[in-house]
Each structure stands twice: as C-alpha cells, then as structure tokens.
Amino acid sequence: MGMLVDGEWKDVWYDTKSTGGAFKREESSFRDSVTADGSSGFSAEAGRYHLFVSLACPWAHRTLIFRALKGLEKAITLSIVDPLMLEEGWEFSEPDDLTGAKRLYEVYLKAKPDYTGRVTVPVLWDKQKQTIVNNESAEIIRMLNSEFDDVAENPGLDFYPEPLRAEIDAINEMVYDRVNNGVYKAGFATEQDKYEKAVTSLCGALDMLEDRLARQRYIAGNRITEADWRLFTTLIRFDPVYVGHFKCNLRTLASYPNLWGYTRELYQVPGVAETVNFTHIKRHYYESHRKINGSGIVPLGPVLDHDAPHGRDRLPKAA
Ligand SMILES: N[C@@H](CCC(=O)N[C@@H](CS)C(=O)NCC(=O)O)C(=O)O
C-alpha cells in the first residue's frame, strides 16, 4: 500500500500517528462530471468512458452495481485490478488492455503527472481526453444514474428520485460515517479507544437500521434507492470480512433477521449477484493488510446462503 507524492510512488501505510490512532479517509481528488448535455466538457456518450474497479472494494462495488442495473455494460467499459493491494498499490495481472498500465498509479500519472495523493478505485476514465473524470464513487453513481440515459438499456430506473432526495441524503450521511467508513475506522484504528468508539457507533447504527427494516422494506421507504446500494456493499462484506478482519464483532450481520433478509433480497436483484466476488473480497482484505493479518491466512468461513428465500415479501413494495 502506498501513495503518489509529486508523481512518485511511495510505499507507506496509512498515517494514524497525527490523529491519535484514528483512521481519517482522504478526500477524492478528481471531481469533474459527465453530463447528458456535455455542459461540463464531458458529454455522456457510449464507448467514451471506462471504469477501473476492484471487485473487493465496497466503494468501487457501488459503481459496478449502477453500471449493471442501468444497463451500461456495453456503453462503459471496465478494467478490474488484482485482488491484492501490496507495495505497488493496485495492480493488473496483465498490462491493462486500455492503457497498457501495470499498476493503477500509472493511470493516475497519465491524468496528472505530478499527482500527490492516494491511488484509489473506482476511477472513471475518459478515453477521449485521456484523463480521469472522477474518482469519488458517490459522485460516479449519480452520473450513472441520471446522465447516461440516452445510452442506457434501462433509462427509466431512477435510484435518486426527486421526492426522496432529502431522506436519501440524510441516510447516506449517517450510513457513510457509521457504517461504510465505520468498519474502516474500526479496522484501521491503532489505539484501543478509537477502535471501541468506531465499533460502538457502528453497532448502534446497525441496531437502528434493523429497527427501520422491521417496519419498511427498504431503507428510504418502499422502493430501492441509492441509499440501499450504498449500504449493501458494506453489508455483503460484513460477515465474510469485517467481523473478523476489522474486529467488528459485537454482532454478525446474520444475527439481525431484518438486515440479513434485506441483504439477501438486494443480492437477489437480477444482475447484482454477478457483481459480488467473495474470492476477491476475502483475499483482498486478509492478504493485503499484513499489518492487521500478519500471516495472510484467509479464513474459510463463514458459510452463508445468499440465495436462501429473503422473506421480505411481507413488507409492501412500490409497484
Ligand atoms: N471516497 C472514495 C474512496 C475509495 C477508496 O478508498 N478505495 C479504496 C479501496 S476499498 C482504495 O482504493 N484504497 C487505496 C488506498 O487508500 O491507497 C470513493 O468512495 O470513491
């Protein structure tokens, strides 16, 4: 694991010294937008854009789900990095078809030769301008949701509907802080108190979500929205990785009947299971983070049946 400093790769682990043992996530650096009308300088066109993802990464996973559900697989091409992220960061097993890069940081350097910062997935790449449009998953999924409708196979699907936006934004904020990033704050903490604070907050958030999902089908009401997909990519990794590797073990996901049924329902939405790769997920965390798991041994369990009936039909769903 490392980062680029003035265009040079440095192999360094996350700095938690300056924050008293707490993990602080860096802001994403490329923040341009693709728009349907091209007013941003990046117009939504079939074949122009490319996604770089890791199948292990929950943030990149959001973009894979939106690409699949919106029917953008033909319009937006894809490169997948190797599961392990070691001294050279994310790498490709074969030179990347599109850019010839062996390591993801080379793609960042093509966009900005003097780049300083972390080299993260997902990356939305513009083949025409040969640059990174955006590397913030929260923004990329909004673009996939609404800007590519002229080239999407399912243009009518909207995961960020106008009447629910305030509710979705509020949920996202809580879920980001306490759940999506919460598991990382627990796992990367290097002081006991920071770890305990993160896990306690995470568990409180899961209790709250469990209670909500006992009463309603989805997190923002009776239809699936962006808020569900953002939560899903953390939940699907919870028992296989976060309980053990990140020590988020006050409770397993499977011990929450509603959250677990909900996770299975989302997993069973056509197109979603194909975006979930448990081999990449488990290998990435357990083999890459040698400061956390020195041996690199990948646990065999837990045995979970994501295809079991989800039982959520008892709660109403929008037509
Ligand atoms: N805010 C970013 C976070 C992306 C992120 O942190 N991705 C991780 C993989 S799960 C990564 O690439 N980390 C590499 C690093 O931090 O050096 C987003 O949501 O797009």
Side-chain angles (χ1 to χ4, degrees):
M1 153 125 58
M3 61 184 291
L4 285 169
V5 178
D6 297 328
E8 257 185 65
W9 181 256
K10 301 257 193 292
D11 179 21
V12 285
W13 183 253
Y14 295 115
D15 166 36
T16 55
K17 278 220 178 68
S18 56
T19 52
F23 168 67
K24 284 254 179 331
R25 187 172 293 278
E26 203 181 281
E27 286 280 317
S28 304
S29 345
F30 295 92
R31 307 300 282 266
D32 281 317
S33 301
V34 175
T35 50
D37 63 6
S39 55
S40 60
F42 298 93
S43 66
E45 293 162 31
R48 176 165 169 182
Y49 300 96
H50 188 84
L51 272 172
F52 291 92
V53 299
S54 151
L55 300 179
C57 167
W59 318 100
H61 193 181
R62 299 168 166 181
T63 66
L64 276 177
I65 292 173
F66 275 71
R67 175 174 173 267
L69 297 183
K70 289 289 293 189
L72 286 167
E73 276 143 325
K74 290 198 193 87
I76 301 178
T77 48
L78 188 71
S79 293
I80 297 171
V81 297
D82 290 350
L84 269 57
M85 190 185 67
L86 302 168
E87 293 79 15
E88 304 218 83
W90 295 114
E91 295 176 77
F92 303 95
S93 42
E94 298 292 328
D96 173 47
D97 280 346
L98 181 71
T99 58
K102 274 290 286 163
R103 308 157 194 100
L104 187 65
Y105 73 70
E106 295 164 29
V107 174
Y108 274 69
L109 290 178
K110 280 183 207 289
K112 196 168 188 305
D114 62 348
Y115 177 74
T116 293
R118 304 213 72 91
V119 172
T120 56
V121 283
V123 169
L124 183 65
W125 175 262
D126 178 1
K127 298 178 201 172
Q128 195 181 90
K129 293 194 180 174
Q130 291 283 301
T131 195
I132 296 175
V133 183
N134 195 297
N135 69 339
E136 172 50 52
S137 62
E139 293 173 5
I140 297 172
I141 60 174
R142 292 268 165 97
M143 297 172 212
L144 302 188
N145 183 60
S146 58
E147 303 303 318
F148 285 86
D149 280 352
D150 285 347
V151 297
E153 284 163 29
N154 301 315
L157 265 188
D158 181 7
F159 295 112
Y160 192 52
E162 190 79 54
L164 293 178
R165 286 189 183 172
E167 173 77 350
I168 293 170
D169 289 345
I171 293 164
N172 283 348
E173 200 181 314
M174 187 287 281
V175 166
Y176 171 79
D177 181 50
R178 296 175 64 176
V179 182
N180 302 141
N181 201 33
V183 296
Y184 282 89
K185 287 194 268 189
F188 288 151
T190 53
E191 292 293 341
Q192 184 71 26
D193 62 325
K194 303 296 187 302
Y195 156 75
E196 287 183 12
K197 189 170 164 222
V199 171
T200 309
S201 166
L202 165 67
C203 197
L206 293 180
D207 290 347
M208 207 157 80
L209 294 167
E210 170 71 9
D211 185 51
R212 183 179 271 245
L213 290 170
R215 290 176 280 110
Q216 64 189 51
R217 183 94 170 235
Y218 305 109
I219 218 68
N222 63 1
R223 56 182 286 188
I224 299 180
T225 66
E226 177 195 280
D228 296 296
W229 296 122
R230 290 177 41 136
L231 176 59
F232 172 76
T233 67
T234 297
L235 297 183
I236 199 73
R237 288 161 175 73
F238 202 83
D239 287 1
V241 172
Y242 302 143
V243 168
H245 185 66
F246 278 173
K247 306 185 184 77
C248 299
N249 63 357
L250 285 174
R251 280 184 74 169
T252 62
L253 182 75
S255 75
Y256 287 100
N258 290 290
L259 272 168
W260 176 222
Y262 162 84
T263 303
R264 295 203 304 283
E265 182 183 1
L266 294 177
Y267 178 85
Q268 291 167 24
V269 168
V272 172
E274 291 78 5
T275 67
V276 179
N277 183 318
F278 286 112
T279 306
H280 275 238
I281 289 173
K282 288 174 74 171
R283 288 199 58 203
H284 166 67
Y285 287 93
Y286 281 102
E287 291 185 50
S288 302
H289 301 154
R290 292 302 177 93
K291 279 211 160 50
I292 298 174
N293 184 40
S295 68
I297 299 277
V298 182
L300 283 180
V303 177
L304 296 166
D305 184 3
H306 292 92
D307 292 312
H310 54 70
R312 302 288 294 161
D313 293 324
R314 66 186 168 81
L315 294 163
K317 176 180 175 172

